[in-house]
Amino acid sequence: MVEAAPKELPAFLHPGIGFMMGDGNPEHGASPTPTQRFKEYDPEWARVWADDTANAGCDHATMLGQVKAPVPLTHHFHMTDPDTGQLMGAMTDIQAAQALGLMESTGRPVTFQSLDAPHTMHTSMAQQYADIVTEWAKTLP
């Protein structure tokens, strides 16, 4: 996968390949070999997220506007490639604000946290992520 990634993934994702794959550079937080999840990685999964077909048929505004339970919303690493306009991450700041507003319009409690953390915080910062979820759970009735 390390060799295939530059060919299979869109160019705007290339800066993160070494970090994601384990390029052996400790300055990048990488291990010398790819993690198990990347040894079994399906490039088609990356493609459907990169070209947005993963969201086909999903009206996010309608879905978020129908929230029926309390929601923790954390916003992690995100950037927009200045050359292509492609988003790297789950959502922009504007999208996070829109999602928050849609969910809050339901009257259900929404806890929002913007974090200086990688997209995969639940893996690389597992304890901090668990602490956030645990603290949020304490606010539930």
Side-chain angles (χ1 to χ4, degrees):
M1 178 58 198
V2 174
E3 295 81 19
K7 295 177 221 141
E8 299 288 343
L9 297 177
F12 76 92
L13 291 175
H14 290 186
I17 291 172
F19 173 76
M20 292 186 300
M21 300 304 297
D23 66 0
N25 186 339
E27 290 181 32
H28 298 161
S31 64
T33 58
T35 60
Q36 186 63 35
R37 66 184 172 166
F38 284 112
K39 289 178 183 176
E40 300 172 8
Y41 191 79
D42 179 1
E44 182 67 11
W45 181 88
R47 187 195 61 75
V48 299
W49 286 102
D51 69 13
D52 202 33
T53 55
N55 291 307
C58 180
D59 181 348
H60 287 90
T62 298
M63 180 180 64
L64 294 171
Q66 296 177 359
V67 166
K68 301 199 180 336
V71 177
L73 175 60
T74 60
H75 193 205
H76 308 187
F77 168 81
H78 57 286
M79 65 170 275
T80 303
D81 183 299
D83 297 326
T84 66
Q86 289 284 335
L87 171 65
M88 186 172 178
M91 59 186 158
T92 66
D93 291 331
I94 293 169
Q95 291 169 325
Q98 290 171 333
L100 180 61
L102 287 165
M103 289 186 288
E104 287 177 335
S105 74
T106 67
R108 301 294 189 248
V110 182
T111 304
F112 177 79
Q113 287 184 281
S114 181
L115 303 167
D116 182 18
H119 181 70
T120 55
M121 176 186 186
H122 58 281
T123 300
S124 60
M125 301 171 73
Q127 186 58 58
Q128 183 180 355
Y129 188 76
D131 292 345
I132 288 168
V133 173
T134 300
E135 287 304 310
W136 169 78
K138 290 178 185 176
T139 69
L140 299 175

